[in-house]
Amino acid sequence: MIGPGADARVLVATRPVDFRKGADALAALIKAEYGADPFSGVVYVLRAKRADRIKLVWWDGTGLWLMAKRLEQGAFRWPAIQDGVMRLSAAQFGALVEGLDWRRVHGGRRPIAPQLAG
């Protein structure tokens, strides 16, 4: 898959943005509205008013990426609309972009080796 790596830091903007904007305008919005550096390597997830569309903006060290996705059916599961951003884990981010409920994703469990009876 082309896109941010599994180790990428992810921030979700909780308020909808104007989806007519391109990469440069969204980078300026990230800096102005959230006080964040759009060229830091963090993946910024932006939503439209309709919950079936998202845009991802991130700097990969050589250029600014803009990726968009629109679900054919259903809607992305979004946090409540409020000011600011929230951080997601890589697993939660993966669930969000697949249209799954990212709130149901939890950290993995460590396997426990069976104990031999002595």
Side-chain angles (χ1 to χ4, degrees):
M1 173 184 137
I2 295 175
D7 61 341
R9 291 185 15 231
V10 179
L11 294 175
V12 176
T14 58
R15 280 188 293 147
V17 300
D18 182 354
F19 256 43
R20 296 173 291 184
K21 294 182 180 198
D24 293 326
L26 290 172
L29 179 109
I30 290 165
K31 185 171 182 129
E33 292 288 320
Y34 304 108
D37 180 7
F39 304 103
S40 65
V42 172
V43 178
Y44 295 94
V45 181
L46 306 161
R47 64 170 288 177
K49 285 184 182 178
R50 293 192 324 214
D52 66 339
R53 296 177 292 157
I54 62 171
K55 283 189 177 180
L56 310 177
V57 177
W58 77 97
W59 175 261
D60 72 354
T62 63
L64 191 63
W65 278 84
L66 174 64
M67 185 175 278
K69 183 171 184 176
R70 179 181 50 88
L71 292 177
E72 290 297 319
Q73 295 180 0
F76 291 101
R77 306 291 186 245
W78 287 103
I81 296 175
Q82 57 190 4
D83 289 340
V85 295
M86 61 177 289
R87 188 176 300 247
L88 292 183
S89 70
Q92 289 171 322
F93 170 66
L96 174 70
V97 298
E98 291 299 324
L100 303 173
D101 190 349
W102 58 270
R103 296 168 296 188
R104 295 180 173 254
V105 176
H106 301 287
R109 295 185 185 158
R110 285 190 168 166
I112 299 173
Q115 300 295 321
L116 297 175

